[in-house]
Amino acid sequence: TLYTLQFLRFIAALLVLFFHLDLIHSGYKGVDIFFVISGFVMYYTLFSAARPNAFKFIVNRSTKIFFLYWVALIILYVILPYKIDLSSVKTFLLIPGHYALLGVSWSLSYELYFYFLIGVIAYLLPSRFQYSAFLLLLAASTFITFIDLTSLSLKGSLLNFLFGPHLWEFLLGILSAFLSMRFYKTIPKTIIMLVAIVSGLLLLAINITYEDPFSYVVYGIASFSIVCFITAYEKAVPVNKKLAGIFKITGDASYAMYLFGPVITMVIPPNIGLSKSLIIITTIAASILFNQIVENNFLRWSRKAILNFIH
C-alpha cells in the first residue's frame, strides 16, 4: 500500500466537497486527481504485482463502484424521493449519459470504462502488444485533448468520451506508476519531494474554470506530477506507522465522501459558514464510520460469496 496515495485520495474528495459547497471554485480538480490515481492503481494491480484472475478483477472493481453508489442512491431516495422509471436504469447502471442524481456519478461511468479498457489490454491482449497499445491510446487521447483546446473541439461526442481528456488523465496515471517505479532510486530524495510539493501548491493555487478545456491539461499534468513524485518519495522514505494508519483510514473513506457529500448537502442546507463546516465534519465522520463498519465488511463478504458461487 502506498499511504501517500491514500491521503491524496482524501484530499481529492475534500476538494470536490469544497467545490459543491462553493468554498473552492476550482475544487472539481479533485476529479482530475482521482482519474490519475485510478490509472496508477490499475497499473499496480494489473502490471506490476501478482495479477488477480479476470473474473476476480471484474468482481472487485464492480462491487467497489456499485455497492456504495447504490447505498447513496437509496439514502437519497429516503431523504428526497425521486421518480423511478425505465430511464432510471441508465442511472442505476452508470451508463454513459445517465441523469446524475448525485451530481458526481458521471465520473463513475468513466471509471467503469477505464476498467473495461485496461482489463481488455491486460487479459485479452498478448503481453508483447500491451506496451504498444498503451502508447497508441496515449497518443490518441493526447491528440484529442489538445484538439479540444481549438475550435475543432470534440467535446460532447462519443469519440471524446472514449479517447478524450479523462482517458488522457487515466493514462497519465499509468505513466506515473511506470516512471515512479523506475526513477525513485536514481533521483535525490530532496528533489523528488520538492517537485511533489511545488506541483501540489500549483494545483491548489491555479484556478481555471472547468468549462475551459485547458483545465484538463493543467490539472492533468499537475496531478500526474504529484502522484508520480509523491509515490516515488514514499518508496525511498517509508511513511511513519502512525501517519500511515491515518492516511489509510482517510483514503479508504474517500469514495464514501465523494458519494455521501452531495446527499448530506441536501439534508443540511449549505447557506452559511457554520452549516458548511457541519457538512464537512459530518461527511468525513459518516464516511469513515460507514467504510470501517459496513463497506469493508460487506465487500469482503460479497466478493467471497460471488467467487464461491461461481466456482
Side-chain angles (χ1 to χ4, degrees), residues 7 32 57 90 114 181 224 226 290 296:
F7 186 63
D32 300 281
F57 171 74
K90 289 180 66 175
F114 298 156
M181 292 176 64
F224 159 79
I226 295 166
F290 191 86
N296 288 342

Side-chain angles (χ1 to χ4, degrees), residues 196-234:
I197 291 172
V198 170
S199 300
L201 291 175
L202 283 174
L203 182 72
L204 291 174
I206 296 172
N207 185 9
I208 305 174
T209 173
Y210 67 88
E211 287 95 352
D212 186 343
F214 193 60
S215 65
Y216 297 115
V217 176
V218 173
Y219 297 145
I221 292 174
S223 299
F224 159 79
S225 181
I226 295 166
V227 169
C228 187
F229 284 91
I230 203 170
T231 52
Y233 185 81
E234 184 180 347

Side-chain angles (χ1 to χ4, degrees), residues 187-197 233:
I187 299 178
K189 294 188 287 290
T190 50
I191 293 179
I192 292 175
M193 178 48 72
L194 183 61
V195 173
I197 291 172
Y233 185 81

Side-chain angles (χ1 to χ4, degrees), residues 101-256:
L101 286 166
L102 298 174
V104 296
S105 61
W106 64 269
S107 64
L108 304 184
S109 296
Y110 280 98
E111 284 291 332
L112 289 173
Y113 168 62
F114 298 156
Y115 297 155
F116 168 78
L117 193 61
I118 199 69
V120 167
I121 292 173
Y123 292 106
L124 299 182
L125 204 62
S127 57
R128 65 182 182 277
F129 297 129
Q130 290 173 355
Y131 183 72
S132 297
F134 168 74
L135 289 179
L136 283 172
L137 284 172
L138 183 60
S141 62
T142 300
F143 177 74
I144 291 178
T145 297
F146 282 86
I147 278 290
D148 283 350
L149 302 180
T150 72
S151 59
L152 301 174
S153 174
L154 297 170
K155 193 173 182 180
S157 68
L158 177 61
L159 197 62
N160 201 70
F161 175 87
L162 295 175
F163 303 106
H166 297 309
L167 176 65
W168 184 66
E169 292 177 331
F170 177 75
L171 295 172
L172 285 181
I174 293 176
L175 181 63
S176 70
F178 179 82
L179 294 175
S180 175
M181 292 176 64
R182 283 157 177 76
F183 70 58
Y184 77 94
K185 290 181 179 178
T186 59
I187 299 178
K189 294 188 287 290
T190 50
I191 293 179
I192 292 175
M193 178 48 72
L194 183 61
V195 173
I197 291 172
V198 170
S199 300
L201 291 175
L202 283 174
L203 182 72
L204 291 174
I206 296 172
N207 185 9
I208 305 174
T209 173
Y210 67 88
E211 287 95 352
D212 186 343
F214 193 60
S215 65
Y216 297 115
V217 176
V218 173
Y219 297 145
I221 292 174
S223 299
F224 159 79
S225 181
I226 295 166
V227 169
C228 187
F229 284 91
I230 203 170
T231 52
Y233 185 81
E234 184 180 347
K235 287 171 189 170
V237 183
V239 176
N240 171 279
K241 262 188 177 180
K242 289 184 179 179
L243 205 56
I246 296 171
F247 284 1
K248 186 176 188 313
I249 289 172
T250 53
D252 284 347
S254 61
Y255 183 44

